[in-house]
Amino acid sequence: MCATCGCGPKEGRRVIQLEQDLLSKNNQFAGQNRRYLGGLGVPAFNLVSSPGAGKTTLLTRTIQDVKDRVPIAVIEGDQQTSRDAERIAAAGAQAIQINTGKGCHLDAHMVGHALKKLTLDAGSILFIENVGNLVCPAEFDLGESRRVVILSVTEGDDKPLKYPNIFASADLMLLTKIDLLPYVSFDVGRCRQQARQVNRSLEVICLSAQTGDGLDLWYEWIERSGEELQHRPEVDVLRAGGRFDVVE
Amino acid sequence: MSAVIEAISGKASEENFSRVHRVCLEVGQLCNVEIEALVFCFDIVAKGTLAAGASFDIASVPGEGWCERCRAGISLASRSDPCPSCGGWDLDVTGGDRIRIRELEVE
């Protein structure tokens, strides 16, 4: 029945109940990715931000600092060019570039294809650098273990309230470029408070990839998240050859 | 919007229809979607498919949340809003954050 006026179908026509989530297909692929990565014991971090927040710079610094201890793989999403993947490869990590063309976000299907091209050994870490955009990537689960929203202090401290969905969907907020705080009117306390208004369990770390301030907290967070993933009961089930709650 | 067309095409052979006249969508108040833009895109994406020219019937679903301080369900117009009862922010979104295709009128 029509939701506007309650009228029924015209003659010769019928109504089919679908009750289908618009993102159900994406969510199925995300489930497959999560199961695949969970089986390998590889934690995956989906990095989202606006363009220019410093995702690639943070990643290259992270790779240089930890690659001797942990192998790192990166899936790079951009509309055009493979510049970021080249920067990542030069820093010493395995990198796959996805060009979304006109698309403004990565989806789980694209990530699934990229996963097939990567060699992921147990004990490695995967970063997925999403297309720079604070809107659409919020809606697309890629099968990551954790979502990290990155906000640079040059962007303004009111972004969490302006773009609440992406901050609501994240596990961690990284405030980057804090070495520039003396030159901009960015109130860290206010930003943190607004972010917690839209997501009360959001963790926050302030850092600068240039000076290295706060990077130790970021690395500890990555390590802790990886350990939590290893101790999730469904991972044990996977290792034993079983299945868990993922739709095929 | 191509997800709507995909979902419709998937159902066409299963349910044996060749034309879609009406698509009924349920859009949550808290999801990231501008309804006008959605309908505009659909018209373009649907061209040349079995849903070409279909009308839209959109049911808006109010946002719902849970306030930890009040220990009660609340209504939420936006993710940036506080609890309407206590003014606090200890909130979790519990509904009105999805888009669903509710039903199709087909021939």
Side-chain angles (χ1 to χ4, degrees):
Chain A
M1 194 197 291
C2 165
T4 312
C5 65
C7 67
K10 288 184 180 161
E11 213 179 312
R13 300 180 189 176
R14 65 203 153 92
V15 170
I16 299 171
Q17 305 292 325
L18 228 61
E19 300 295 342
Q20 185 177 325
D21 195 300
L22 206 58
L23 292 170
S24 59
K25 198 149 191 184
N26 180 75
N27 295 341
Q28 281 175 19
F29 285 120
Q32 284 175 15
N33 295 347
R34 188 166 285 119
R35 190 171 56 157
Y36 172 73
L37 291 164
L40 292 172
V42 172
F45 302 98
N46 179 5
L47 308 186
V48 294
S49 79
S50 54
K55 293 188 292 301
T56 315
T57 301
L58 175 65
L59 273 180
T60 52
R61 175 72 194 249
T62 302
I63 292 161
Q64 285 158 4
D65 288 351
V66 307
K67 68 179 175 189
D68 293 338
R69 286 181 286 139
V70 187
I72 294 182
V74 180
I75 296 175
E76 276 289 337
D78 279 302
Q79 285 196 319
Q80 304 283 336
T81 84
S82 55
R83 287 184 188 193
D84 280 358
E86 288 157 16
R87 283 174 67 189
I88 295 296
Q94 199 185 167
I96 297 279
Q97 180 79 48
I98 299 176
N99 282 136
T100 57
K102 297 187 177 93
C104 56
H105 57 269
L106 291 176
D107 65 40
H109 185 239
M110 300 172 188
V111 169
H113 277 289
L115 284 175
K116 285 183 191 156
K117 295 181 193 158
L118 287 170
T119 312
L120 292 169
D121 300 321
S124 55
I125 295 175
L126 174 68
F127 290 104
I128 305 168
E129 186 180 334
N130 218 313
V131 179
N133 176 353
L134 280 179
V135 185
C136 313
E139 306 301 318
F140 290 82
D141 180 7
L142 304 179
E144 69 266 26
S145 358
R146 296 279 188 278
R147 187 173 294 184
V148 180
V149 63
I150 298 173
L151 178 63
S152 62
V153 301
T154 53
E155 291 174 77
D157 50 30
D158 53 357
K159 290 288 180 289
L161 289 186
K162 284 182 172 170
Y163 300 92
N165 288 45
I166 203 139
F167 290 89
S169 74
D171 300 289
L172 170 70
M173 174 169 77
L174 291 179
L175 289 181
T176 59
K177 307 187 190 177
I178 56 164
D179 51 311
L180 299 179
L181 275 174
Y183 312 104
V184 293
S185 57
F186 186 101
D187 185 330
V188 172
R190 185 163 57 200
C191 183
R192 192 188 288 261
Q193 185 197 351
Q194 293 188 353
R196 293 240 166 93
Q197 285 176 9
V198 297
N199 181 349
R200 65 198 178 98
S201 55
L202 188 68
E203 292 183 73
V204 181
I205 294 173
C206 301
L207 58 81
S208 164
Q210 287 298 332
T211 63
D213 284 340
L215 285 176
D216 49 343
L217 297 173
W218 163 232
Y219 300 149
E220 277 168 26
W221 184 88
I222 294 172
E223 201 170 335
R224 199 170 68 236
S225 304
E227 282 168 9
E228 281 165 14
L229 175 75
Q230 301 305 325
H231 294 126
R232 270 162 41 183
E234 62 266 32
V235 173
D236 295 334
V237 175
L238 279 166
R239 295 227 171 94
R243 297 166 58 86
F244 68 107
D245 60 332
V246 177
V247 193
E248 274 296 343
Chain B
M1 265 337 262
S2 48
V4 178
I5 303 290
E6 269 179 42
I8 292 174
S9 308
K11 277 277 159 190
S13 53
E14 199 180 307
E15 295 276 352
N16 194 26
F17 61 83
S18 55
R19 181 99 201 271
V20 177
H21 292 282
R22 189 173 55 82
V23 179
C24 180
L25 282 187
E26 199 179 276
V27 181
Q29 209 176 0
L30 302 179
C31 74
N32 248 341
V33 164
E34 196 57 56
I35 292 174
E36 271 181 42
L38 189 83
V39 173
F40 177 74
C41 294
F42 181 82
D43 285 345
I44 295 168
V45 177
K47 265 185 192 150
T49 75
L50 74 178
S55 68
F56 255 100
D57 190 10
I58 291 173
S60 178
V61 176
E64 289 174 10
W66 171 261
C67 176
E68 194 56 38
R69 210 191 289 175
C70 301
R71 307 290 302 161
I74 53 164
S75 63
L76 269 182
S78 139
R79 284 188 191 264
S80 318
D81 284 356
C83 168
S85 308
C86 71
W89 301 97
D90 289 338
L91 310 177
D92 291 314
V93 170
T94 54
D97 57 345
R98 289 170 181 277
I99 314 177
R100 289 161 65 82
I101 310 171
R102 193 187 271 178
E103 59 184 37
L104 302 173
E105 188 177 324
V106 301
E107 189 176 348

